[in-house]
Amino acid sequence: MNDLYIHNEDETKVDKKEIQKLADDKFGDLQGIAQQYLFYWRREA
């Protein structure tokens, strides 16, 4: 989520609530499926 949407240089400073709000707004009920795609994308990149 940080790499694609938040762009904070220090990933340890990204707030989990910020990620949750972004996921709610962007993916809605499909958050679980989106998580799988994002995990796969990051692993292969």
Side-chain angles (χ1 to χ4, degrees):
M1 295 292 282
N2 185 54
D3 288 348
L4 293 175
Y5 303 109
I6 299 172
H7 307 293
N8 190 334
E9 290 183 21
D10 186 0
E11 287 187 9
T12 62
K13 293 184 179 179
V14 177
D15 185 32
K16 290 181 183 181
K17 290 181 182 179
E18 181 181 7
I19 293 172
Q20 184 64 49
K21 181 176 179 347
L22 179 65
D24 288 339
D25 294 344
K26 191 149 199 73
F27 304 116
D29 292 337
L30 301 175
Q31 292 177 38
I33 295 170
Q35 183 273 330
Q36 293 295 316
Y37 279 105
L38 290 170
F39 179 81
Y40 176 79
W41 168 79
R42 186 63 178 127
R43 187 181 68 188
E44 296 295 319

